[in-house]
Amino acid sequence: HNLLCQFHIDKNMKEKSKQHVTPKEAWDQVMEAWGTIMDCPIELDYEDRLKKFEVVYEPWHEFVVYVKDT
């Protein structure tokens, strides 16, 4: 069940990010960073990576908010 949930979450994030993140080069970087958040082995790493994500990708604030809220 966990892999199926991750698949659907990832798919949803990719769709939503395409609405907010441009150019394509930036989108690739954002998706790579998103992948590091999803692959966290422990909650402490997750929180740290999410904070870094918020700072680095602030230019795409709407997507960062979506990631945090969703």
Side-chain angles (χ1 to χ4, degrees):
H1 294 277
N2 189 30
L3 288 177
L4 184 57
C5 291
Q6 285 182 341
F7 170 79
H8 288 287
I9 291 168
D10 191 52
K11 182 178 175 185
N12 183 36
M13 286 298 159
K14 285 179 180 176
E15 271 306 306
K16 194 56 91 168
S17 69
K18 287 179 183 178
Q19 297 172 12
H20 298 285
V21 179
T22 58
K24 183 175 179 355
E25 293 79 19
W27 185 84
D28 291 340
Q29 292 175 346
V30 170
M31 285 297 95
E32 185 177 325
W34 166 249
T36 66
I37 293 171
M38 285 294 291
D39 293 336
C40 288
I42 60 173
E43 189 172 341
L44 186 59
D45 285 346
Y46 168 82
E47 292 171 8
D48 184 51
R49 291 177 189 185
L50 183 59
K51 286 177 188 175
K52 288 178 184 174
F53 184 87
E54 290 177 79
V55 171
V56 172
Y57 298 104
E58 179 56 29
W60 299 280
H61 179 74
E62 295 85 11
F63 181 63
V64 171
V65 169
Y66 181 79
V67 167
K68 289 176 59 183
D69 290 348
T70 304

